[in-house]
Amino acid sequence: MALPANVTTGTWTLDPSHSEIGFTVRHAGISKVRGQFTDAAATLDLSENVTDSKVSASIKTASFDSGDANRDGHVRGEDFFDVEKFPEISFVSNTIVPKGDAYELQGDLTIKGITHPVALETEFNGVAVDPFGNTRAGLTAETTISRKDFGLTWNAVLEAGGVLVSDKVAINLELAFIAPAA
């Protein structure tokens, strides 16, 4: 499958100031908590054939931010990410599968030193040239993972039954990449 119009081959880099690496997890079975990681780097190595392209990303676990300092400190600690011992989350793609107007980005996600395959449903949002002459491409991607698969097993049983933190975590990515210099 050929690259979309106005997209060039080469290594595109993540623009973190115009991207969001977000998550949603159910709390106490009754509400959802949202947050993001604020420090990430990624490259998108585009080939003439989209399916030959590669993505790699790293996220600093200490940049976890849910908007609540107490919760953020707990999640950065040993019960969850243990940021001192595991400072990064990484993703390396294996395959890009066209799915109509969208793509499935398949690859290996590593959290706390544990690697599992994931599939990200990915949508290409187009290309634009900003007022500074940079060519940008936008992507939206999402997947759901089991946090237990990655050793994130801390939980608390609720008095009425159930647990405090759901196992399923929805990952939502809004990404802007900048084209390589001409």
Side-chain angles (χ1 to χ4, degrees), residues 103-154:
Y103 303 90
E104 183 177 87
L105 179 61
Q106 299 173 1
D108 293 323
L109 178 65
T110 302
I111 302 174
K112 287 186 78 172
I114 301 169
T115 303
H116 285 285
V118 297
L120 294 147
E121 298 303 319
T122 306
E123 180 180 334
F124 175 67
N125 298 327
V127 175
V129 177
D130 68 22
F132 309 103
N134 297 305
T135 301
R136 298 172 174 275
L139 300 167
T140 299
E142 48 189 47
T143 192
T144 300
I145 64 168
S146 162
R147 63 185 184 88
K148 292 177 186 174
D149 286 350
F150 295 94
L152 302 169
T153 58
W154 183 89

Side-chain angles (χ1 to χ4, degrees), residues 13-86:
T13 55
L14 182 71
D15 176 1
S17 64
H18 294 99
S19 298
E20 182 176 288
I21 299 162
F23 66 88
T24 306
V25 64
R26 189 158 297 280
H27 180 262
I30 59 168
S31 65
K32 292 181 179 178
V33 171
R34 291 173 173 75
Q36 64 184 329
F37 291 91
T38 59
D39 187 357
T43 57
L44 174 58
D45 293 313
L46 289 176
S47 299
E48 286 292 335
N49 184 340
V50 172
T51 59
D52 294 331
S53 300
K54 299 287 182 194
V55 176
S56 63
S58 65
I59 301 164
K60 300 293 184 188
T61 53
S63 74
F64 176 89
D65 181 10
S66 70
D68 181 278
N70 288 331
R71 177 177 43 234
D72 294 351
H74 183 209
V75 172
R76 289 182 194 125
E78 292 178 10
D79 284 342
F80 287 94
F81 287 119
D82 196 357
V83 302
E84 295 296 322
K85 192 172 179 183
F86 301 101

